[in-house]
Amino acid sequence: MVGEKKRTVYRKKRKGKPFSGKQKHDKTPSVSRENQLSTSQENSSISSSEIPRVSASRRKLNLPESIETPDQVMDFDKKGYRLIDIAKFSDSLSEAHVCDEGSLMIQENISGRRGLMSDLSASCSSCQEESDLETSPTIPGKGYSADVNRRAVYHSVETGGGYESLVTFCSIINMPCISKTAYYQHLDTIVSALEAEAKEEMRQAAQKLRKLILAENESEDDGSIVDVGVSFDGTWAKRGFTSLIGVVFAISIDTGEVLDYHVVSKTCQRCALKKGQCENDEEFEDWEIEHVFSGECVINFNGNSPAMEVEGAKIIWNRSIELHNLRYKWMISDGDSKAFSAIEDTYDEVKVEKLDCVGHVQKRMGKNLLKLKNATKGKLADGKTVGGRGRLTEKKILQIQRYYGLAIRQNTLSTPNLTENDVSVSVYTMKKNIIALLNHSIQNEDPTKQHRFCPVGENSWCKWQQDCAMGTSMYKGDDCLPPVFLEFLKPTFMHLSDSKLLERCVRGKTQNNNESINSLVWARCPKHKHHGVKVVKCAVASAV
């Protein structure tokens, strides 16, 4: 028969014969008829009201009945871990009563537990007198909050793990955890406290900056508006152009402290949940009106994600005088920032001036040279390609980019009140050094002509000029490009030595402070994880 298992050894089939082996019997002791009758009579005498009712869920989970009674104290099973404030616990333990012949027994009241704060008590084994053992101090104010819970929530926010990481930690350590509802209640309190502290920090930073500017100008503080410069940059909670949350910072270029920030959001978790619960759009719109009017909705922007930076710039510049009595006259941003066009005419008296970050301008040289190399197909006038050994390699591009940045940085001015003559002299020196870099990097039979624009003296960055000043022979010149690259690279150097571009770099400021605080924010809110607006606000205020 198809599918039938074949016998390996021939055995004669049993036909209609009964089972001849031994039957299995239950090994439980037999109960006599008299005992059964007496037991049934005793059970019938117990009324149904005296039998404790146990829920089906509890029978399935096989939980102890003691948890059902909230006031019952369970013996401490000595399993798992508990967080204890050593000072509170020590004081409570020192006041606990114990007889000479007795010993202390630790017990835990399950119903009295509040998150990570355990409700322990010590009882004397002789007289059974109990003493409460406090494991965590409570936070004064409205409600009843344990300090250990508040600190645990704050730690989860600071480390970027959130509620899930706290639950994972407690489960691994075999310790009860705080509920999700209580977690977000603590989070609301933490956000409010951090934002209040951040506002105070920014107020003090503005006062410090105001005193510094007035001292440099040798003026007295008569309450007038002071013009200052800030570095501005935006950052997003998600990479790409689909982020729902963005943050913008305005940082002083003189002190490096944050003067203002703004969190831009186009999502609200409560709105998203409520929209799925409502049966129709009219019901949701009625609820949304009340939700927005109450101030609980966190949506403050409707538009695409890149436009968040522009929206944040408008808000920060419009409230600068109201908050700090300062006018952000100079704005340092990256070259393609659209925020400058939006805030250029914010103030009626003066126009906002744009300054360029020296670091971003320096990177333009490398990007333009790399783009030129990739766009050039075929061979140059000498019959060779652009790249290759002794040609325009990536290493050589990085070297030129670094020297280009030095040509700008070494000729910047840090004086507060710059005149037009100071700016003109600084720009001229920058241009001269940039042209010197071009000629210095190209081979020439006459070294005097090749290094005629390089700075002279012992402190020159040019080894050939150092040799001329000190009588040494350090310069080798084996890493120079062939002469054909002089005309090939000249348009790029002329474009990046434009006077207007270099004028915006005279102050020599960068956006490094913005990059630093951005990294602090997203260290608390990793971009590969989803975070709500409250968590982002908490991270931003903590970074400030």
Side-chain angles (χ1 to χ4, degrees), residues 229-230 253 329-335 340 353-358 503-509 511:
V230 297
I253 62 177
K329 183 179 179 180
W330 296 279
M331 173 187 183
I332 296 180
S333 61
D334 44 14
F340 173 72
E353 299 179 13
K354 185 178 184 298
L355 303 179
D356 278 340
C357 171
V358 177
E503 284 178 2
R504 298 194 295 267
C505 300
V506 169
R507 290 180 176 267
K509 302 299 182 179
Q511 287 182 303

Side-chain angles (χ1 to χ4, degrees), residues 411 413 419-431:
N411 297 282
L413 302 175
T419 62
E420 293 184 2
N421 184 46
D422 295 336
V423 175
S424 300
V425 172
S426 177
V427 171
Y428 172 77
T429 311
M430 289 180 185
K431 276 189 173 184

